[in-house]
Amino acid sequence: MSDHHHKETFVTKYIFSQDHKMISKQFLVTGMFMGIIGVLMSMLFRMQIAWPEQSFSIFEAFLGPHQTDGIMNPDIYLALVTIHGTIMVFFVLTAGLSGTFSNLLIPLQIGARDMASGFLNMISYWLFFVSSVVMVISLFVEAGPASAGWTIYPPLSALPQAIPGSGAGMTLWLVSMAIFIASSLIGSLNYIVTVLNLRTKGMKMTRLPLTMWAFFVTAIIGVVSFPVLLSAALLLIFDRSFGTSFYLSDIFISGEVLHYQGGSPVLFEHLFWFLGHPEVYIVLLPALGITSEIISTHSRKPIFGYRAMIGSILAIAFLSTIVWGHHMFISGMNPFLGSVFTFTTLLIAIPSAVKAFNYITTLWKGNLQLNPAMLFSIGLVSTFVTGGLTGLVLGDSALDINIHDTYFVVAHFHLVMGVSAIFGMYAGVYHWFPKMYGRMMNKTLGYWHFWITIVCAYGVFWPMHFIGLAGLPRRYYTNTNFPMFDDLLQINVVITIFALVGGIAQIIFIANFFISIYRGQKATQNPWNSNTLEWTTPVEHIHGNWPGMIPEVHRWPYDYSKRVDPNDDNSDYLHGKDFVLQTTPLLENEEVS
Amino acid sequence: MLALFYIFIGIAIGVSFWQITRILNLRGVIATDEDNAKQGKYSLVFMAFLYAMMVYCLIFMNVLMLPESASIEGEHDDNLFNITFWLIGIVQFVMQFIIFYFTFKYKGNKNRKAKFYADSHKLEVIWTVTPAIVLAFLIGYGLWQWNDVMDLSDDKDAIVIEVYSQQFRWDARYAGDDNTLGLGNVNYIDINKLNTMGVDMSDPNSQDDKQVTELYLPKGRKIHFKFRSQDVLHSAYMPHFRAQMNCVPGMVTEFGFTPKFTTEEMRLNLEVIEKTNGINKIRMAKGEDPYEFDYLLLCNKICGASHYNMQMKITVVEQDEYDKWIAKRPTLASVIK
Ligand code: HEM
Ligand SMILES: [Cu+2]
Ligand SMILES: [Cu+2]
């Protein structure tokens, strides 16, 4: 491995780097770039919803041929929604989040010199890069990018006659996603192998920080479910290009009967959601892992219920693979299946509730250091609870009948996975920025960023529940054709204003991020007084992470504010400080949690 | 409103730039006790904002919601929904309070020592078992209702209606005197002969079927819908009846309900009157025609450019009026030559 010192050129250091720390930065910056595109798109389509069919010069500037005199075309509305969803879920919150933090933290927190395979790690990033490029190119296809929703249900996604975006735009979408899946699989396998094999001496599985458990389990879910999406995509490619009929049957369109016989779109829905649902946990679990770590560190308290947390991560992971049907209650599948999926879906609420309660108990009687990272983590707990609760409504098949595919769903999933995971990602960046760049981010900007963002997040998504309950379907270009929805327009205007302010406020973060890389205050080795191994490495990055031997681990990572006498809150801190590094040997007859 | 929007945008951009320039002289990076005190207070302020918004929406948006269920089967839906909503509402209010109050209460300072509290078997059991019990109830009620709604086997005298979707319109076919729909398949579509729904006219059951572009339903009779699509997925969404089912090419899907109020009755429903008045106030201000309540069927599965404009009116009437209406519709045999 990288113990020997290689001669580094610019190319091997910054571009084709095999060092996990550099790769993690590459993932982060690429993810941020894609995130900017995704957020911009949401701002554009929100403007169309609030001020339907109004002319904006912004549209003229951004939408090129897909607008007439500054008025957005219906086709491109759907395309924007589709690409927004795709980018946010996969490019930002899968690759951007997991890619960044799994790469950065796995070797550092388990005590390894690098990933099991630096080369594969590099390949994983570059496949992600290529898939991002292909996705971005697809935006410039003449007929427009993919527009069938991020769920790309056929036949809409299979037939260019049905929607122009299902031509070359859809082809590029599929190519991009196929490459993306390859990237994700290679990355995940690497993470799994690394966690299993490269832990330092004394780092038992039950001494891993919860971040590691979260990333490890996330990688397993990815390996189990992404291949199914790949096969779904391949079959769709066959249907589109080679005349097979996996998903298509009995179709009459543009005045002719197509030759497809015997396929079923419901099959696609099953395959898609077999990934699609676990995907939301692929997005969410890393964020929850990051939050566990940050809430504990900044509360100066051990995470409450470490074993229960691991248990609930495992339970969520297992259950997440058998709940996909809750997206399909009214797809025409057998109602009995609907019953089964209602049951498993509501079961998943239990481990989720356990996690929320454990976070709150960790805050209780803490000594909360309200750094931006901590605030974003607390924000995550808040939005996770809000969004999780509405899951009880949607997961109940009888209730889902009437709110399926309305804005209620949009509000639910944005809070529980969109906003929560984004908050987790921000928390992670604020917390580990010193580890990535050797400098600190500015806290005042961090505070502004947090409060504006959480106000806007709630301002956008809380009222959205109610327009959903009023029966407003999602993916509508405008609601003006239904007088019954006229009274919702004002709410939509307010939502859009919050969305625009919230979107623009992200400039604060981007500025803070890039300025801090160059001008931020130099970081100390362990700025947050944290227990975990990554803070025992030097501030300056070196190959192999530790200059000498890899340190040995003697205890779990959450000995914050541990007392000499654990039952006496007034006794002195163990070792005189409110944290005990994992590398500190246990005292004789010290109680272990 | 648009002016307000530009002002907000202006403020947001202004604040961003102002803050970014300040970064050059602000070099604070780690929260001090002062920061903790300040952020703790902001946490309370935010909580006040959150509560104000939650309460405002709950109270003032109530009038915008769908009126009570217009189908008999939907009553339990509303019931279950209310129970669930109260439950999650209470939990939401309590949990958000705890989260932001704790943030304030336990804000750090030099003199505070955190409590070392790593585990409690008892607490873990409590918050595993409590949700489990509550969920068991919700699951039980939900599944009972689901099976009730989805089970169409015992409705021998239900009226059978086919709802047919295509980009971007709805049609419907009543099964006629025999209450049996003739076979349909896209291969039978013949626009010139007006066979737009692809009905097999060699099937004896097809002869008395009646094709319409608007749904009339008799109050108090179970309706057994069968859905078809000729091109892409659509979804037949009838929110007032708490009814929705996807329309899937190559397959027939089903749903059923029993209308409870005629359209006329529903227009006299207090919730409907209030909502309609609200809408008409807005429409009047814009100089648009007044709106009158009608049941609607909307498309609720993304299906192409005009997905947002795919609707069909539903009118619920008394049985005798329905009988008169359906008698006047021409049979397919007389239309498709
Ligand atoms: C800037 C903040 C955001 C705003 C204002 C926003 C707004 C919206 C809205 C209004 C829709 C529904 C449009 C429609 O159905 O017509 C939507 C769709 C979606 N958004 Fe977001 N969103 C934001 C951030 C995110 C994030 C962080 C995620 C990550 C999970 C995300 C994922 C999605 C997905 C998956 C869809 C569904 C796309 C589809 O219907 O195919 N969004 N967004
Ligand atoms: Cu799901
Ligand atoms: Cu449609």
Side-chain angles (χ1 to χ4, degrees), chain A residues 194-213:
Chain A
T194 309
V195 172
L196 287 179
N197 292 325
L198 297 185
R199 278 167 291 131
T200 184
K201 188 154 179 252
M203 183 62 93
K204 295 186 266 187
M205 289 303 272
T206 48
R207 283 182 182 163
L208 285 177
L210 285 171
T211 32
M212 291 301 101
W213 271 103

Side-chain angles (χ1 to χ4, degrees), chain A residues 273 276-278 280-281 323-324 326-327:
Chain A
W273 286 113
H277 192 84
V280 314
Y281 291 97
V323 298
W324 77 88
H326 64 216
H327 300 271

Side-chain angles (χ1 to χ4, degrees), chain B residues 90-136:
Chain B
I90 292 170
V91 177
Q92 164 77 352
F93 274 80
V94 173
M95 293 283 278
Q96 298 299 339
F97 175 81
I98 297 179
I99 293 169
F100 290 105
Y101 179 70
F102 277 11
T103 307
F104 166 74
K105 175 100 197 281
Y106 300 113
K107 57 191 182 296
N109 66 50
K110 298 244 154 29
N111 307 322
R112 178 190 285 286
K113 279 187 172 182
K115 182 178 171 63
F116 186 87
Y117 186 51
D119 216 341
S120 156
H121 188 63
K122 205 169 101 200
L123 282 181
E124 297 288 359
V125 171
I126 291 177
W127 48 62
T128 311
V129 172
T130 319
I133 293 172
V134 175
L135 285 170

Side-chain angles (χ1 to χ4, degrees), chain A residues 368 371 443 451 476 486 519 563, chain B residues 27 31 35 108 114 283 299:
Chain A
L368 310 189
N371 290 295
K443 69 180 172 196
W451 290 115
Y476 270 22
D486 276 357
R519 312 191 43 138
R563 308 297 152 76
Chain B
R27 312 219 77 191
D35 289 316
R283 292 181 70 84
C299 182

